Amino acid sequence: MKLLVYSAQDFEIPFLKKANSSRYEVKYIPDALDTNTAIKAVGFEAISIFSGDDACLVVLEKLRDLGVKYITLRSAGYNNIQIKAAKRFGLKVANAPDYSPHAIAEHTVALLLALNRKIHIADRQVRSYNFEQKNLLGFDMLNKTFGIIGTGRIGSVLVQIMNGFGCKILAHDLLPNKKLVERYGVEYVDSEVIYERSDIISINVPLTNKTHYMVSTEAFALMKPEVLLINTARGAIVDTKALIKALDGKKIAGYAADVYEKEKGIFFKDNSAQGIADDPLKTLLAYDNVLITPHQAYVTKEALNNIAEITFENLDSWVKGEPCRNELGYETLVL
Ligand code: NAI
């Protein structure tokens, strides 16, 4: 079977090559999948895509017409693929759900601590030989209320870490996790209670039609003015316009994210020469109390190794005609 890897980045290719160990004929291309690049899949039975690729209905139809049968995502999130359409076209789709919840949870904590202790500001200051502390006031994590929306694989690891800091943990999830209640005294509450009572809020739900713009003007109105909001899930769970208003109106104290609502065409590439035309993103990047990283939470050696292994494991299952444990079905329908 021939595999075409879209959005292949130089740093991940060695991991994919090692995991493949020459059993599949693989072509790596830097291009993201979209209506223009779908044609590149001609002659390939399988493709692999990442979260910046666009597997919408039109693209999926093209892929089917070109003879593609299998799509394996190198990501846990799958909001960028229309699963229902894929099924209709007879395409099998699988993701990489559990490659390293620790990588994402740890990056969430890195963002939280950096935003709280103003590491990004301190770094900028000392590089121009300013060793003052007056702009660097933060708070202790101990005894703070940490509110988490989504206690799945990543959220559960985050709960464990934040429990280690001595935080009181409030959680909101469609499926409360009893183990987290028993082990860490987590209290499951409605999202409104999270917004009202938390000193820190972390978003760890998938992007679905239910979670799209979940953090809205109404949600910001309920939050404490000193709250720090962290989003390492998907950008469109937070309404960017509402976020900017909340920051302007000092309704929240800071925002850190590894994701952005309109990453497509901006993230995963160097725009430093030509700049960007996305005004809301430019506005966010101009605030000192906003910290954005370029969707890098998964960029650890362990995560990349596991993503690569899972990618070929998914293909192996399909080739052998065995059930694929990561195959996405109708129950996983998203936007
Ligand atoms: P998961 O599926 O293990 O957990 C998601 C949790 O959200 C589940 O417990 C589910 O019940 C809950 N949930 C879903 N819809 C909800 C709703 N409407 N209200 C309340 N709870 C809801 O997923 P996992 O592995 O923890 O990943 C979460 C998300 O993190 C992914 O969907 C992905 O978008 C994002 N992610 C980001 C990465 C990055 O590099 N920044 C890397 C990996 C994942």
Side-chain angles (χ1 to χ4, degrees):
M1 175 150 57
K2 284 172 73 181
L3 169 73
L4 178 65
V5 179
Y6 280 96
S7 298
Q9 307 211 55
D10 290 345
F11 63 80
E12 65 172 333
I13 292 174
F15 292 91
L16 288 160
K17 282 189 173 163
K18 184 168 167 260
N20 177 29
S21 64
S22 306
R23 62 191 189 279
Y24 296 99
E25 194 181 320
V26 184
K27 185 176 177 188
Y28 300 93
I29 57 169
D31 318 56
L33 172 68
D34 59 25
T35 45
N36 297 319
T37 59
I39 187 73
K40 294 187 184 236
V42 66
F44 291 88
E45 220 179 327
I47 64 162
S48 171
I49 61 172
F50 191 61
S51 54
D53 294 290
D54 180 15
C56 64
L57 187 140
V58 182
V59 169
L60 291 168
E61 192 172 20
K62 267 193 190 178
L63 291 171
R64 189 268 321 261
D65 292 347
L66 292 169
V68 171
K69 292 194 174 67
Y70 307 109
I71 302 178
T72 177
L73 284 96
R74 305 193 302 289
S75 59
Y78 45 83
N79 51 286
N80 55 329
I81 180 160
Q82 289 189 1
I83 306 287
K84 204 174 176 180
K87 292 275 160 194
R88 185 147 30 95
F89 297 140
L91 295 161
K92 286 187 185 284
V93 180
N95 67 339
D98 47 9
Y99 59 80
S100 178
H102 288 266
I104 319 305
E106 289 170 15
H107 190 72
T108 308
V109 177
L111 283 174
L112 166 61
L113 295 182
L115 181 69
N116 173 37
R117 304 304 296 268
K118 318 267 191 301
I119 302 297
H120 54 305
I121 300 171
D123 181 61
R124 202 171 56 220
Q125 277 184 198
V126 297
R127 283 172 197 269
S128 56
Y129 313 124
N130 174 357
F131 292 88
E132 288 178 332
Q133 291 118 6
K134 64 181 177 190
N135 299 318
L136 305 179
L137 185 66
F139 58 78
D140 289 10
M141 291 288 138
L142 182 68
N143 293 329
K144 291 297 178 299
T145 299
F146 178 74
I148 180 162
I149 302 183
T151 52
R153 295 176 187 87
I154 295 165
S156 298
V157 175
L158 201 43
V159 163
Q160 194 185 333
I161 298 172
M162 296 316 292
N163 177 68
F165 276 112
C167 289
K168 151 92 189 141
I169 300 168
L170 298 178
H172 175 69
D173 196 297
L174 297 176
L175 303 166
N177 180 335
K178 275 189 198 157
K179 279 187 189 155
L180 297 181
V181 176
E182 285 159 15
R183 283 187 198 161
Y184 307 113
V186 170
E187 189 187 338
Y188 277 92
V189 294
D190 287 343
S191 54
E192 287 76 15
V193 178
I194 300 255
Y195 300 142
E196 281 166 0
R197 285 176 42 196
S198 305
D199 301 302
I200 302 149
I201 299 174
S202 178
I203 312 289
N204 298 97
V205 280
L207 174 62
T208 67
N209 45 16
K210 295 253 166 54
T211 62
H212 184 258
Y213 281 4
M214 185 182 199
V215 185
S216 58
T217 304
E218 292 73 28
F220 285 117
L222 296 173
M223 292 181 196
K224 294 184 188 181
E226 58 272 25
V227 74
L228 297 181
L229 175 65
I230 318 293
N231 181 8
T232 51
R234 285 293 180 265
I237 297 167
V238 175
D239 176 346
T240 306
K241 280 189 190 152
L243 168 66
I244 290 171
K245 276 193 188 153
L247 288 162
D248 278 343
K250 307 219 179 312
K251 301 251 178 241
I252 63 170
Y255 179 70
D258 188 45
V259 286
Y260 174 62
E261 192 181 340
K262 293 184 177 150
E263 286 180 22
K264 203 169 163 239
I266 301 174
F267 276 44
F268 308 109
K269 61 181 188 184
D270 182 358
N271 304 287
S272 52
Q274 73 275 26
I276 57 167
D278 187 307
D279 287 333
L281 182 55
K282 282 192 198 168
T283 303
L284 285 178
L285 291 170
Y287 292 109
D288 266 349
N289 57 345
V290 170
L291 182 53
I292 294 180
T293 51
H295 207 135
Q296 69 178 77
Y298 73 101
V299 186
T300 69
K301 289 174 191 166
E302 293 77 6
L304 291 176
N305 195 44
N306 292 339
I307 289 170
E309 296 279 350
I310 295 166
T311 298
F312 291 102
E313 180 201 312
N314 289 343
L315 290 184
D316 286 348
S317 305
W318 287 323
V319 164
K320 290 178 192 160
E322 291 170 358
C324 174
R325 71 179 172 109
N326 303 317
E327 196 162 315
L328 299 168
Y330 288 110
E331 71 284 3
T332 52
L333 292 182
V334 288
L335 274 177

